[in-house]
């Protein structure tokens, strides 16, 4: 009985974890359907009538389109989770873009229904902050990005193995 209880406790904990494949900047840029600099101008949580799950629809004003095609100046993306009428749904490892933030966004798909449409979730989500009159790029965990270096020139034989990113 103790073993069964322990196993079911481990299963329930791991069911809450999120595992993503770590990607280098070349992979993120190549796999992205859209890459743009934008500002979050609207964020609306809605209840999906079929599933009963809260989703948040985030509208971006596109400042600079870097890759892909866009039919206008604004883009709306759907993220699983959010807060509605005091109820909060969070997806482990997923960070929703916040109203008013400016950033660089690598979009895996603008049309498919996904938990998080940003490529590799936080790997495709960078914030632009003003510091001392200069704009600086940060990760969503607030680490400054000081350098971007392509890894395409590194021979495969000496590249580090692909990592898994786990969050719970």
């Amino acid at each position: 009985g103790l073993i069964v209880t322990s196993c079911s406790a481990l299963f329930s904990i791991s069911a809450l974890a999120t595992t993503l494949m770590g990607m280098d900047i070349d992979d993120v840029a190549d796999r992205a359907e859209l890459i743009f600099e934008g500002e979050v101008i609207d964020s609306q949580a809605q209840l999906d009538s079929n599933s009963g799950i809260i989703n948040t629809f985030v509208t971006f004003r596109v400042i600079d389109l870097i890759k892909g095609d866009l039919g206008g100046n604004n883009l709306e993306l759907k993220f699983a989770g959010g807060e509605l009428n005091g109820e909060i749904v969070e997806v482990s490892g997923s960070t929703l873009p916040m109203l008013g933030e400016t950033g660089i966004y690598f979009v895996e798909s603008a049309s498919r229904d996904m938990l998080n449409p940003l490529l590799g979730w936080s790997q495709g989500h960078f914030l632009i902050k003003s510091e001392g009159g200069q704009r600086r790029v940060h990760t969503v965990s607030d680490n400054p990005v000081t350098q971007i270096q392509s890894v395409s020139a590194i021979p495969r034989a000496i590249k580090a193995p692909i990592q898994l990113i786990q969050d719970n």
Side-chain angles (χ1 to χ4, degrees):
L2 181 59
I3 294 172
V4 173
T5 304
S6 298
C7 289
S8 61
L10 287 174
F11 176 73
S12 64
I13 291 170
S14 66
L16 300 174
T18 304
T19 303
L20 299 169
M21 188 67 67
M23 294 181 280
D24 59 49
I25 193 64
D26 295 332
D27 288 337
V28 174
D30 287 344
R31 293 181 183 184
E33 176 183 296
L34 290 171
I35 304 172
F36 68 94
E37 177 186 341
E39 176 187 7
V40 177
I41 58 171
D42 193 31
S43 181
Q44 297 291 323
Q46 297 177 11
L47 187 65
D48 185 306
S49 58
N50 294 328
S51 67
I53 299 292
I54 297 173
N55 293 301
T56 300
F57 293 84
V58 178
T59 304
F60 300 87
R61 179 177 60 87
V62 177
I63 297 167
D64 186 17
L65 183 62
I66 299 165
K67 178 184 178 183
D69 295 316
L70 191 61
N73 295 330
N74 293 342
L75 174 66
E76 183 180 75
L77 296 175
K78 175 184 165 186
F79 294 79
E83 182 177 353
L84 183 65
N85 301 325
E87 186 177 338
I88 299 172
V89 174
E90 292 181 334
V91 177
S92 178
S94 180
T95 303
L96 297 177
M98 301 299 291
L99 188 61
E101 82 175 35
T102 301
I104 300 171
Y105 306 92
F106 293 75
V107 179
E108 182 173 352
S109 177
S111 58
R112 290 194 339 243
D113 198 16
M114 307 176 78
L115 291 175
N116 185 327
L118 300 180
L119 193 65
W121 298 12
S122 64
Q123 296 174 82
H125 186 178
F126 295 89
L127 304 175
I128 298 174
K129 298 182 176 187
S130 291
E131 297 174 352
Q134 293 190 354
R135 292 167 23 111
R136 303 235 186 246
V137 178
H138 290 254
T139 65
V140 290
S141 52
D142 206 29
N143 294 316
V145 176
T146 57
Q147 182 179 25
I148 297 176
Q149 185 174 23
S150 173
V151 296
S152 61
I154 300 172
R156 286 194 182 274
I158 63 171
K159 273 188 186 177
I162 294 175
Q163 297 177 326
L164 291 180
I165 297 173
Q166 295 185 333
D167 184 13
N168 61 4

